[in-house]
Amino acid sequence: DAGITQSPRHKVTETGTPVTLRCHQTENHRYMYWYRQDPGHGLRLIHYSYGVKDTDKGEVSDGYSVSRSKTEDFLLTLESATSSQTSVYFCAISDESRGRTEAFFGQGTRLTVV
Amino acid sequence: QKEVEQNSGPLSVPEGAIASLNCTYSDRGSQSFFWYRQYSGKSPELIMSIYSNGDKEDGRFTAQLNKASQYVSLLIRDSQPSDSATYLCAVRPNQAGTALIFGKGTTLSVSS
């Protein structure tokens, strides 16, 4: 496995509370991504980062914010969790150097908002 | 909006048969194409990448790319029950720094 660690792996939280998910990589890859995966929708991009402090929105960014203060860490925050944000969240990384554009995924975080 | 389309399946094949998984994409300028395998409850695992027209073989897997038809396929020869999983097609649009766009996946079931 690529050196990607997501934490926590499972979380149950209440509606309206803020939640932060962490992705940590040891590969020194420039690009990091947050996806969510839901039945019938597949993997959808929430936000991504192309360097420290450089981030951009994805397809389903409403209600989410991100931060990347170090190359190795990419945080996803649900500002006020809603039941529609119950999902499995995956972090991914890619190098983009020497034409290598593959992305590698972390183990995922299963989030339940009650 | 850039899209990647796959048949959801399930695709059922007997053990030892060839499984053929297909994917079409909308962004004609896309340059990088990937197949991921995802077992139930696990994260996607990269199994093939292909960047130029034609075939690319790796063990029992062959990826085929036809950019003119905007079509990518994955062939799995001598299918095994352990190949039963969801297969995700992913495409990277031709813009620097953009993320992979995924199809919804095709579920493959290999019966022994």
Side-chain angles (χ1 to χ4, degrees):
Chain A
D1 288 347
I4 311 167
T5 304
Q6 291 186 232
S7 58
R9 295 292 311 280
H10 301 272
K11 186 170 182 67
V12 179
T13 193
E14 293 187 349
T15 299
T17 60
V19 177
T20 295
L21 309 183
R22 181 183 185 233
C23 179
H24 178 78
Q25 60 144 330
T26 59
E27 305 294 324
N28 200 35
H29 282 2
R30 178 181 175 193
Y31 289 86
M32 299 185 75
Y33 311 88
W34 278 107
Y35 288 89
R36 60 178 289 176
Q37 188 172 40
D38 305 287
H41 291 280
L43 280 161
R44 293 181 292 174
L45 181 68
I46 305 171
H47 282 278
Y48 68 99
S49 169
Y50 46 97
V52 173
K53 299 192 189 307
D54 293 322
T55 64
D56 206 350
K57 296 179 180 180
E59 176 188 0
V60 290
S61 60
D62 287 349
Y64 302 94
S65 62
V66 291
S67 66
R68 191 166 178 202
S69 58
K70 298 184 289 185
T71 298
E72 57 266 35
D73 289 327
F74 193 32
L75 304 180
L76 177 70
T77 297
L78 287 65
E79 294 143 6
S80 177
T82 68
S83 58
S84 65
Q85 293 176 312
T86 292
S87 186
V88 179
Y89 291 85
F90 288 104
C91 173
I93 65 173
S94 64
D95 186 5
E96 308 290 323
S97 65
R98 298 189 298 274
R100 297 186 61 83
T101 59
E102 301 97 335
F104 300 94
F105 284 80
Q107 321 96 304
T109 295
R110 184 172 295 275
L111 176 68
T112 303
V113 183
V114 298
Chain B
Q1 185 170 349
K2 300 178 176 65
E3 294 180 339
V4 177
E5 300 285 344
Q6 298 180 254
N7 281 331
S8 62
L11 173 65
S12 298
V13 300
E15 184 174 358
I18 296 175
S20 177
L21 304 158
N22 304 313
C23 171
T24 59
Y25 59 94
S26 63
D27 181 13
R28 182 170 290 278
S30 297
Q31 297 294 322
S32 307
F33 308 87
F34 308 92
W35 284 99
Y36 287 82
R37 177 176 61 199
Q38 187 175 25
Y39 293 113
S40 181
K42 301 295 185 182
S43 61
E45 172 193 11
L46 179 68
I47 54 172
M48 290 289 286
S49 58
I50 187 165
Y51 299 93
S52 55
N53 278 330
D55 295 358
K56 178 182 178 182
E57 186 174 318
D58 184 1
R60 296 186 295 112
F61 298 101
T62 299
Q64 299 175 318
L65 174 61
N66 183 328
K67 290 185 179 179
S69 300
Q70 296 173 238
Y71 178 91
V72 194
S73 65
L74 179 70
L75 300 178
I76 306 175
R77 291 182 300 281
D78 187 23
S79 294
Q80 302 296 310
S82 59
D83 294 326
S84 299
T86 297
Y87 290 80
L88 305 173
C89 174
V91 175
R92 186 178 298 279
N94 189 27
Q95 292 171 254
T98 54
L100 292 178
I101 299 174
F102 285 83
K104 295 179 181 178
T106 299
T107 300
L108 173 66
S109 176
V110 181
S111 56
S112 56

